[in-house]
Amino acid sequence: MAPKSQKQKSSGDRKNSKRSKPKPILPESEEAETLNMESMGHPEIYPLVLTTQTQEIFNCRIDEDVTDEQPYKLIKKEDIFADFQNRAAVSDFYPVRKVIQEYPGDELLVVYDKDFRYGLNFYLIGTEEGKENYLNPPEIAEEQEDYKEHIIEDLYVYRPPVSKPWVSLGSEKEIEEESVKESTKQITYMISRKRSKFGAPIKFSDQNASSVKDAYIECTAYPDRNFTLKQLEKDVGMQVVPKVKDTSTQTRWTYPKNATTQYYPREFSEEEKEIFGQSKTLSDFLNNVSVSVEIALQQNEIMNTFVDDWKCLAEEESTFGDKTDTHLKEYQSFTDLHNLKEKMVTSVSWHPTIYGLIAVSVAVRLSLEERVHFSGKLLLQPSLILFWSFSDPIHPQIVMWDITAHADRIENIKTGGSRSKKATLKPMFLLEPDSNKEATYIRHCAVSSIENGHKKVITDIHWLPDTFEINRMGSVFENRSGICCQLVTCSADCTICFWDIRPQKALTPQSVEKKKEENIEIPFDVPSTFLHLDLSWKPLIKIRLSKGETSLDHCPTKLSLNEDSLCKSQDKVLLAQSKTVKAGEMNPYYNLEGGLANHLKPIEDFCTKFFVGTEEGGVIYTDWKMERDSETGRLMAKKPVNLYTVHDGAVHTVQRSPFYKDIVLTIGGWNVAIWKEGISTGPLLQSSCAPKKYTAGHWSLTRPGVFYIGREDGYIDIWDLLEKTHEPAQSQNICITMITYIKPWTFSAKQQFIAIADYYGTLHILEIPWTLSHPSTNEVSSMNYYFEREVKHLEYIEQRKKIRDQEKKEMELELEKKKTKTYQKSKEQLEAELKMDYESYLELEETTLINLGFLKVAEKMSFMDL
Amino acid sequence: MELLDRLEMAEVEETLKRLQSQKRVQVIMVVNTEGIPIKSTMDNPTTTQYANLMHNFILKAWSTVREIDPQNDLTFLQIRSKKNEIMIAPDKNYFLIVIQDPTE
């Protein structure tokens, strides 16, 4: 019976979900329950399938009566009932028959469900309300169903509340029950006095209420037991609180106290010691013990048991660099292009503390004849002192200008800085590394007095060490100021002068007046430290080196002083203290006068002798102490102790060894000599003449047996006395012209430089290799032995000389004796001797002839017989 | 009695002089067991200092030797330092301390 309903009309693109109509065999109630869309929230909607036949009957054909615009159809109830009767169970409305029967209204709404929202193609709305809803705002209802789950985002329009008539909902009853009404009518009493007594005066009095009976009625309060409540429960709040208890104690504070104990060692008194000394036990003990002690003492004498032979075998621990490399390596060379035209370098000095700073003095290049020719005149070209630094090989750092011409000698003192002295003094100054473009010219600040200074060129200049100072007599005293304040110069006018840079109080008044007359303008950049010396500086001592009766004097070229620093420990401490005090000042030379006030303390046992090298090649050992000449009463220099003519040319280097205080090296002309102070017989070593003239020289600073000599052909000879003593150990070419100055310097254990200056004004810096700069382990003692051997050799020579002299004398005596003896021989003896000689000669002749075969023996015999 | 004492004193002096005449001997000291110097060729304060220091050292060395082996006894003690060598001869009643310059 159901197959008809399965026919569906499809139009367009409709999603089909063909559903078979549920079989009418099922009970109605079940069908009715399952049919409505309660599950979807619309209990009034009953989906239906309306076949085409049904649609024709009720005029709700799809796409004809029921379209998209009007998808519903109102069908009358009677029609549906008629259909029921006509077609009974076949009718499409049969499943919802109950709903239709119960439907209150007349017309039922059937809606065409195009999209099969409820499963079938039509649905029936089973309530009037639903019909109303559908018909009236069908769009909104559908939309609400569609967007039920969405949040309504319409604007909320405020509508003020509209008053409505009150509708009672039964709350008056409760209000009536709760309200309190008077149950009975209240009685009112009005009490008043008689009208006549109104306004009359009245008297009030006090009365005790309890005294009069019934004056009052009271209603006393009494505890009514009916109303006493026993509190059985009580809400109490509890809080747990820790129990805190404060306690304090007083402790006994032991504060630290200084406690000392003075004690002295137990000692025996003299008597007790005596007693001990006499006791037998002591002597027994000593007898027993002395044997072993002597053995132990002698053991030490015999052999040193702790010597490590292996260690002593080793020569050096570690070498730096190539051991075979013995050449000086070129490091840098400095040439100034502006200032060094026609100039040669005369002296070189390294800065003691700043690395790589060298001061070089240059002077005009003149040959000997020119120099002699010009020696009286003032040269127009200024001599300069240039400061070179390793960082800039072309531009010198600072150039100093001064008026004097030759033989600048720059020296560094322990106080640092560098000074150029001669007859001029310059203040200490700080170098600026940036000023390498323009050479700054610094003027000197003091010049010696022209009348009293040297008349000729100054050849050598030295600062005296700051440990001692000398006075006019030449006696040595302790240095009062702690700074270098005296210098010694020697010059070609055959004098040696000692100068003091402190102001001399013994100035004659004449010179003071003279000074006042002159008004010399001093430029601003020169400090006034040495103003007191400027142009009025007189030497302290002047020593003339005379050769005895002849008018010719020695012309000193170089000096070498004894460099003993002979302070005892106490003095050293004092000096150190004074030095630290002075270190606080910026420049200790500002306070030169302060030291003069101290009392002079003489130093005993100071050696005041020194070596002087002369222009002629002699070496003089003389004393600077002045003595009073008995005849004239003037101060006279002592006669020189020793004079040696050893060199063939001017002595240009007189230098003490840095390792031995009494070994002096002199270089001059074509040979070298080494002297020991105190040995007056001659030099320890005198080399043979070299092929080229020696022009410069210096001891090595680190090796006691090595010294460097520069030649006039630009070669440098390195002598090593431990290797060879007759010729240099090495020879190396440095430049093409004469070497004028050599100065080595040590910067560190690994770096040692040697500065070699030449005739053309170039300064070469070379690096000394390891082998030449590092002494072997025993070098100092070996050199010592060598010198001692040489000294002994000299002594031996002396002795041999004496022996030779003696032998000579003896020989002469013998000769004399012989001569007299021959005279005493008589004539007879002479003849007899002659005869014997003749006979012996005849025999000789015979034997010779026989041997030759010219004479027969027999013949000879017969001849003799006849 | 006095003669004997003087003889012994002379003997003592002679022994000490002999020891002193050895090469490079600097100081000779005789100290009793408590460390109080009896005879010395040095000035008093230095002697006392040496005696005190040596005393502790000697006792320590002696106790060390005895502790290792109670049958053993300390016969001679030498302290060699860079600058000198100190030799100590211990005894029941006295110590003899000699300071010598080493062979270097």
Side-chain angles (χ1 to χ4, degrees):
Chain A
M1 292 190 191
K4 268 188 191 173
S5 62
Q6 290 193 358
K7 260 202 266 180
Q8 295 279 350
K9 259 197 187 171
S10 59
S11 64
D13 40 347
R14 194 198 297 171
K15 290 170 194 165
N16 282 341
S17 58
K18 289 183 182 171
R19 249 183 233 188
S20 58
K21 190 179 168 186
K23 289 191 176 169
I25 311 167
L26 290 167
E28 275 179 43
S29 60
E30 284 183 84
E31 281 180 324
E33 283 169 15
T34 55
L35 270 177
N36 67 358
M37 284 288 113
E38 205 167 337
S39 58
M40 279 179 74
H42 289 273
E44 70 272 12
I45 289 172
Y46 298 91
L48 282 175
V49 176
L50 295 181
T51 57
T52 43
Q53 202 181 3
T54 320
Q55 287 171 22
E56 281 168 9
I57 295 166
F58 290 102
N59 295 324
C60 54
R61 285 178 284 259
I62 294 169
D63 288 338
E64 285 174 24
D65 300 323
V66 180
T67 57
D68 284 336
E69 287 87 24
Q70 201 190 7
Y72 61 89
K73 185 83 181 179
L74 288 161
I75 302 169
K76 291 199 170 119
K77 211 157 123 181
E78 295 103 13
D79 292 336
I80 298 171
F81 281 131
D83 187 48
F84 281 149
Q85 284 169 359
N86 289 341
R87 291 198 295 163
V90 184
S91 164
D92 289 326
F93 289 101
Y94 191 79
V96 292
R97 189 185 64 173
K98 203 170 185 195
V99 175
I100 296 163
Q101 281 170 351
E102 286 172 357
Y103 194 73
D106 276 335
E107 287 188 340
L108 281 118
L109 187 63
V110 172
V111 181
Y112 167 56
D113 193 3
K114 184 181 175 191
D115 296 324
F116 286 87
R117 204 185 296 140
Y118 299 106
L120 302 170
N121 59 353
F122 279 87
Y123 60 87
L124 171 76
I125 298 193
T127 58
E128 275 284 337
E129 231 175 77
K131 190 172 91 177
E132 298 276 332
N133 281 347
Y134 185 80
L135 286 174
N136 294 336
E139 317 293 326
I140 296 168
E142 281 190 19
E143 277 181 43
Q144 279 182 356
E145 284 168 12
D146 281 334
Y147 304 111
K148 225 182 199 176
E149 288 138 16
H150 294 260
I151 301 159
I152 298 166
E153 287 174 286
D154 299 336
L155 287 171
Y156 179 73
V157 179
Y158 173 69
R159 288 196 193 93
V162 177
S163 62
K164 296 183 190 129
W166 182 65
V167 173
S168 166
L169 291 166
S171 57
E172 292 107 349
K173 223 196 296 185
E174 287 165 5
I175 294 168
E176 265 190 42
E177 280 175 8
E178 291 290 320
S179 63
V180 174
K181 289 192 188 83
E182 291 171 0
S183 52
T184 53
K185 197 170 181 274
Q186 282 184 333
I187 304 167
T188 56
Y189 287 98
M190 194 182 92
I191 306 163
S192 70
R193 283 196 313 177
K194 264 191 187 173
R195 187 118 193 144
S196 58
K197 284 190 186 165
F198 278 11
I202 197 155
K203 224 188 206 165
F204 285 107
S205 63
D206 284 327
Q207 189 185 11
N208 200 357
S210 54
S211 56
V212 179
K213 198 176 168 205
D214 290 333
Y216 73 100
I217 296 170
E218 72 170 353
C219 187
T220 54
Y222 64 95
D224 193 353
R225 292 201 39 219
N226 302 327
F227 296 102
T228 54
L229 290 170
K230 188 171 173 189
Q231 192 168 24
L232 292 172
E233 277 181 8
K234 188 171 169 188
D235 279 326
V236 173
M238 289 267 292
Q239 186 177 5
V240 173
V241 171
K243 207 169 175 187
V244 171
K245 190 171 152 192
D246 277 326
T247 57
S248 62
T249 64
Q250 177 79 16
T251 58
R252 202 168 44 181
W253 172 56
T254 50
Y255 55 90
K257 254 189 296 192
N258 282 334
T260 57
T261 319
Q262 176 85 17
Y263 62 91
Y264 56 90
R266 284 180 297 173
E267 279 175 13
F268 286 132
S269 62
E270 289 299 318
E271 300 87 36
E272 285 174 330
K273 284 189 188 170
E274 286 283 324
I275 295 167
F276 268 111
Q278 291 167 7
S279 66
K280 191 167 190 309
T281 48
L282 185 66
S283 58
D284 285 342
F285 158 72
L286 279 176
N287 286 333
N288 291 336
V289 145
S290 60
V291 178
S292 55
V293 173
E294 275 179 347
I295 290 172
L297 287 171
Q298 280 160 2
Q299 251 176 6
N300 276 338
E301 269 313 299
I302 295 165
M303 195 186 116
N304 184 5
T305 50
F306 291 100
V307 71
D308 191 355
D309 295 319
W310 192 247
K311 222 183 211 180
C312 291
L313 205 60
E315 266 284 309
E316 274 164 39
E317 314 91 51
S318 61
T319 54
F320 186 76
D322 197 5
K323 233 185 171 172
T324 55
D325 177 29
T326 49
H327 271 269
L328 303 170
K329 278 176 278 201
E330 174 95 15
Y331 188 80
Q332 214 168 18
S333 79
F334 298 106
T335 321
D336 186 24
L337 304 165
H338 302 290
N339 300 314
L340 283 187
K341 297 197 178 132
E342 307 278 322
K343 289 220 174 75
M344 68 176 216
V345 178
T346 49
S347 183
V348 173
S349 191
W350 295 80
H351 197 282
T353 46
I354 300 178
Y355 175 81
L357 198 67
I358 307 156
V360 163
S361 77
V362 291
V364 176
R365 202 187 304 153
L366 297 171
S367 69
L368 186 62
E369 295 89 42
E370 288 171 3
R371 200 177 292 173
V372 165
H373 185 59
F374 285 125
S375 61
K377 302 179 193 171
L378 204 63
L379 285 168
L380 289 172
Q381 273 187 20
S383 318
L384 305 166
I385 298 172
L386 307 171
F387 283 81
W388 294 100
S389 147
F390 277 178
S391 56
D392 196 348
I394 302 178
H395 302 286
Q397 303 283 20
I398 292 182
V399 176
M400 300 201 289
W401 171 86
D402 50 52
I403 52 171
T404 50
H406 300 272
D408 259 351
R409 181 96 193 281
I410 306 160
E411 206 172 288
N412 294 319
I413 346 170
K414 295 164 207 157
T415 51
S418 67
R419 291 159 160 271
S420 145
K421 315 131 219 152
K422 314 173 22 140
T424 67
L425 272 177
K426 290 195 175 48
M428 280 206 303
F429 54 89
L430 296 164
L431 296 167
E432 300 145 30
D434 302 323
S435 64
N436 53 3
K437 298 288 178 186
E438 296 286 320
T440 47
Y441 285 86
I442 301 174
R443 199 181 167 275
H444 63 276
C445 50
V447 184
S448 66
S449 153
I450 298 172
E451 310 95 49
N452 298 317
H454 286 292
K455 302 280 187 303
K456 287 198 189 151
V457 58
I458 294 177
T459 47
D460 197 12
I461 181 166
H462 275 284
W463 283 98
L464 290 182
D466 56 357
T467 48
F468 65 92
E469 62 179 56
I470 57 177
N471 72 345
R472 289 192 166 276
M473 286 287 292
S475 1
V476 176
F477 295 96
E478 235 174 67
N479 192 320
R480 293 170 286 189
S481 349
I483 48 173
C484 293
C485 50
Q486 290 182 333
L487 34 117
V488 55
T489 62
C490 65
S491 95
D493 61 354
C494 311
T495 52
I496 297 173
C497 288
F498 285 83
W499 308 75
D500 196 321
I501 62 175
R502 291 171 301 188
Q504 303 293 323
K505 284 187 184 162
L507 280 171
T508 54
Q510 290 172 347
S511 51
V512 169
E513 283 172 18
K514 264 192 195 170
K515 201 177 174 185
K516 278 184 187 167
E517 283 171 14
E518 297 165 10
N519 253 338
I520 306 166
E521 301 237 340
I522 301 156
F524 287 115
D525 59 343
V526 172
S528 60
T529 327
F530 299 112
L531 260 185
H532 57 266
L533 295 172
D534 201 12
L535 288 178
S536 63
W537 200 12
K538 275 173 69 176
L540 201 59
I541 302 173
K542 215 169 185 178
I543 301 171
R544 199 160 195 88
L545 291 176
S546 55
K547 268 191 191 166
E549 286 88 35
T550 55
S551 57
L552 287 168
D553 296 331
H554 297 288
C555 186
T557 48
K558 279 282 189 297
L559 286 183
S560 176
L561 298 171
N562 195 352
E563 284 167 19
D564 255 348
S565 64
L566 39 91
C567 291
K568 297 165 198 168
S569 57
Q570 298 166 343
D571 302 335
K572 237 181 193 166
V573 164
L574 277 172
L575 269 176
Q577 281 174 354
S578 65
K579 258 192 183 155
T580 50
V581 165
K582 293 238 162 66
E585 297 174 17
M586 279 301 290
N587 186 352
Y589 285 86
Y590 282 135
N591 194 11
L592 285 171
E593 292 193 15
L596 279 176
N598 298 343
H599 183 61
L600 286 169
K601 279 190 255 178
I603 301 175
E604 293 117 34
D605 301 334
F606 192 81
C607 182
T608 54
K609 301 189 178 59
F610 56 100
F611 281 92
V612 182
T614 66
E615 191 86 37
E616 290 92 30
V619 176
I620 305 174
Y621 187 56
T622 181
D623 198 338
W624 76 56
K625 247 188 177 160
M626 309 286 278
E627 59 179 10
R628 288 212 178 269
D629 198 13
S630 50
E631 295 158 18
T632 55
R634 275 170 42 196
L635 287 170
M636 292 286 290
K638 283 187 182 170
K639 285 228 173 68
V641 179
N642 286 312
L643 167 65
Y644 312 96
T645 9
V646 161
H647 298 287
D648 308 313
V651 175
H652 56 74
T653 304
V654 175
Q655 204 181 49
R656 287 191 188 246
S657 168
F659 292 89
Y660 310 102
K661 293 294 163 215
D662 49 1
I663 303 288
V664 179
L665 173 76
T666 55
I667 306 176
W670 281 265
N671 57 359
V672 178
I674 295 182
W675 309 79
K676 188 173 169 104
E677 200 167 347
I679 305 292
S680 52
T681 41
L684 293 183
L685 171 75
Q686 187 180 348
S687 78
S688 57
C689 284
K692 294 280 174 188
K693 197 168 178 181
Y694 287 146
T695 50
H698 205 280
W699 282 100
S700 162
L701 295 176
T702 47
R703 288 194 65 186
V706 172
F707 51 92
Y708 306 95
I709 300 179
R711 303 209 304 226
E712 63 175 358
D713 55 353
Y715 273 76
I716 181 165
D717 282 347
I718 303 169
W719 285 69
D720 186 352
L721 287 176
L722 287 174
E723 209 178 306
K724 282 187 244 190
T725 53
H726 61 283
E727 60 171 18
Q730 262 179 64
S731 205
Q732 193 176 340
N733 188 12
I734 305 293
C735 53
I736 48 173
T737 60
M738 185 171 87
I739 291 177
T740 50
Y741 206 81
I742 296 177
K743 188 94 188 220
W745 195 254
T746 315
F747 282 115
S748 65
K750 293 177 186 164
Q751 228 183 13
Q752 209 185 50
F753 292 114
I754 182 165
I756 297 175
D758 70 359
Y759 195 62
Y760 281 154
T762 313
L763 180 69
H764 304 268
I765 310 282
L766 295 109
E767 196 169 340
I768 300 177
W770 179 268
T771 45
L772 280 178
S773 61
H774 263 257
S776 52
T777 34
N778 303 327
E779 200 159 319
V780 179
S781 47
S782 308
M783 282 308 296
N784 234 348
Y785 283 138
Y786 169 74
F787 290 131
E788 277 173 19
R789 280 204 311 272
E790 290 298 320
V791 169
K792 282 189 186 149
H793 179 66
L794 282 172
E795 286 172 13
Y796 174 72
I797 290 174
E798 282 297 310
Q799 281 178 354
R800 283 302 296 179
K801 259 190 189 167
K802 285 182 196 162
I803 292 170
R804 278 259 167 249
D805 284 338
Q806 231 182 348
E807 276 184 354
K808 225 177 177 178
K809 279 183 190 165
E810 278 176 4
M811 275 181 71
E812 275 176 11
L813 273 172
E814 273 189 38
L815 271 170
E816 290 282 322
K817 275 187 190 167
K818 262 193 183 171
K819 277 181 191 167
T820 48
K821 265 189 189 169
T822 48
Y823 238 65
Q824 278 170 9
K825 275 190 185 163
S826 62
K827 240 184 171 181
E828 288 98 14
Q829 280 182 333
L830 272 168
E831 276 187 19
E833 277 181 10
L834 277 170
K835 207 178 177 185
M836 278 189 66
D837 281 337
Y838 183 65
E839 277 177 19
S840 62
Y841 165 72
L842 281 173
E843 280 179 30
L844 182 65
E845 195 185 10
E846 268 189 57
T847 49
T848 320
L849 285 170
I850 290 167
N851 284 334
L852 283 171
F854 289 127
L855 271 179
K856 283 186 190 165
V857 180
E859 275 181 30
K860 193 184 173 262
M861 290 279 284
S862 60
F863 179 74
M864 285 304 289
D865 282 339
L866 289 168
Chain B
M1 194 58 187
E2 269 203 27
L3 194 68
L4 211 65
D5 292 338
R6 251 185 277 132
L7 271 173
E8 263 140 19
M9 201 159 77
E11 211 178 321
V12 163
E13 292 293 334
E14 193 215 313
T15 320
L16 288 178
K17 226 183 254 177
R18 203 176 66 234
L19 288 173
Q20 183 81 32
S21 65
Q22 290 279 342
K23 274 198 202 153
R24 285 200 277 249
V25 168
Q26 288 169 348
V27 177
I28 299 184
M29 272 195 292
V30 179
V31 179
N32 82 339
T33 41
E34 292 183 350
I36 309 171
I38 295 172
K39 267 198 182 305
S40 168
T41 57
M42 226 171 20
D43 54 293
N44 212 11
T46 329
T47 307
T48 339
Q49 188 191 27
Y50 262 101
N52 184 31
L53 294 166
M54 288 301 130
H55 181 247
N56 289 332
F57 191 75
I58 295 163
L59 284 182
K60 190 78 186 174
W62 184 83
S63 66
T64 308
V65 168
R66 291 285 286 207
E67 222 173 285
I68 291 169
D69 182 10
Q71 308 279 331
N72 209 351
D73 198 8
L74 183 69
T75 47
F76 205 76
L77 199 56
Q78 266 176 309
I79 304 170
R80 182 134 190 177
S81 71
K82 248 198 308 198
K83 295 189 183 166
N84 49 22
E85 178 157 359
I86 305 170
M87 282 170 259
I88 304 160
D91 187 66
K92 226 171 25 176
N93 305 321
Y94 307 97
F95 301 127
L96 174 67
I97 300 171
V98 179
I99 302 180
Q100 189 194 28
D101 202 14
T103 29
E104 274 118 337

